[in-house]
Amino acid sequence: MIRRIDSAALLVRSVAYGEADVIATFFTRESGKLSAVVRGARKSTKRFGGALEPIHELVVTLEDKGKELCVLKEARIQRPRTGIATNLEAMEAAGQALRWVRHLCPARTPEPAAWRSLEDVLEALDTEGVRSASEARRHLAIFGLRLLTDMGYALELDRCIRCARVCPEGRSAFIDAAGGGIVCTSCGGARRTISGELRVLAARAQRAESVLLSWEIAGEIIEIAEEAMAAHADFDPSLQGRT
Ligand SMILES: [Zn+2]
């Protein structure tokens, strides 16, 4: 049976395939992550125009025969995000956000919360306010925590993940990000420690509250988020900066 999928989508990867084709991986609002053959994509740019670019919100029509790969029938840009395309810091942060989604979201599973968080971070990066690397990094750090929460992997930042003992507010703690949260001293602690300030800010970011993060704290949160993601996906944090 052939199913037709019409959906808002973001391109999360494209790889050359054969002589003229491309395999495009989309994160779609309706059906989650899907990969599709794009026939003739490298021969002629007429058919899909500039629609096979990351960052812009697309509308795609896919033909799904239930096999591993769908076939892309149509694609157009629904919401261009030229602010990101013209800003290197925003571009790098957006690329990282798309990579995280590609690695963390399973195929053919709608993830409405992750879709919203990804749209939010791309919108934030697209605004003219993102003039500095520090601003872009702050948005990315908050997105990392939100994405983990959306996928059911929220970090436990209030109590020890082993014995459930509550860690007093504002106090620094050991954190085992791959294990899912903070670990008390009696339970052996962990390699990494986080400050009381970071613990409070990260907890607020996980609840989708708006927080101001310094350059250092944002960087630390990104490292912690990637450690947590690595435990749940085919994700290698060392892939940072690559496609
Ligand atoms: Zn404990």
Side-chain angles (χ1 to χ4, degrees):
M1 210 185 96
I2 299 177
R3 189 167 72 112
R4 194 184 132 114
I5 298 168
D6 293 296
S7 179
L10 288 152
L11 180 71
V12 293
R13 178 156 80 163
S14 73
V15 178
Y17 180 68
E19 296 236 314
D21 302 344
V22 157
I23 305 277
T25 303
F26 298 100
F27 183 52
T28 69
R29 187 175 60 199
E30 308 306 325
S31 303
K33 189 172 72 176
L34 289 169
S35 292
V37 181
V38 188
R39 300 236 161 86
R42 287 185 295 138
K43 262 191 183 155
S44 158
T45 53
K46 265 183 274 171
R47 206 157 141 227
F48 300 106
L52 283 180
E53 282 181 38
I55 291 138
H56 308 304
E57 186 184 308
L58 314 174
V59 177
V60 297
T61 300
L62 299 163
E63 196 179 81
D64 180 15
K65 292 180 182 170
K67 295 180 185 161
E68 193 190 341
L69 293 174
C70 301
V71 176
L72 181 71
K73 305 306 278 185
E74 283 172 48
R76 64 181 173 81
I77 295 176
Q78 167 159 273
R79 166 117 182 57
R81 295 201 171 100
T82 46
I84 295 179
T86 54
N87 177 323
L88 184 63
E89 275 83 26
M91 191 74 176
E92 283 178 359
Q96 191 64 29
L98 292 168
R99 268 193 295 278
W100 286 348
V101 164
R102 173 159 65 86
H103 286 285
L104 207 57
C105 294
R108 295 179 176 275
T109 310
E111 298 291 353
W115 170 267
R116 271 193 306 276
S117 297
L118 182 58
E119 282 278 293
D120 284 354
V121 72
L122 293 177
E123 281 301 303
L125 290 169
D126 194 43
T127 61
E128 288 187 18
V130 180
R131 294 235 178 267
S132 66
S134 147
E135 183 89 357
R137 187 143 119 152
R138 177 173 76 86
H139 286 304
L140 183 63
I142 293 169
F143 172 70
L145 293 173
R146 276 187 65 183
L147 180 63
L148 284 166
T149 306
D150 295 338
M151 299 304 293
Y153 307 132
L155 291 170
E156 174 56 76
L157 296 164
D158 294 329
R159 38 179 83 229
C160 171
I161 53 171
R162 309 252 160 80
C163 71
R165 185 196 293 175
V166 173
C167 180
E169 195 170 321
R171 191 174 298 175
S172 64
F174 290 105
I175 185 163
D176 172 6
I182 60 173
V183 182
C184 76
T185 323
S186 314
C187 291
R191 199 168 39 85
R192 183 192 283 277
T193 54
I194 53 171
S195 68
E197 186 194 5
L198 187 149
R199 204 158 65 82
V200 169
L201 290 169
R204 287 179 52 199
Q206 283 199 148
R207 293 193 297 268
E209 289 173 28
S210 113
V211 288
L212 279 174
L213 307 175
S214 68
W215 171 264
E216 289 75 21
I217 285 195
E220 221 179 319
I221 287 179
I222 289 170
E223 279 180 29
I224 290 167
E226 289 196 324
E227 270 178 45
M229 288 178 205
H232 297 294
D234 59 337
F235 183 79
D236 178 355
S238 68
L239 286 172
Q240 187 159 12
R242 287 188 247 154
T243 55

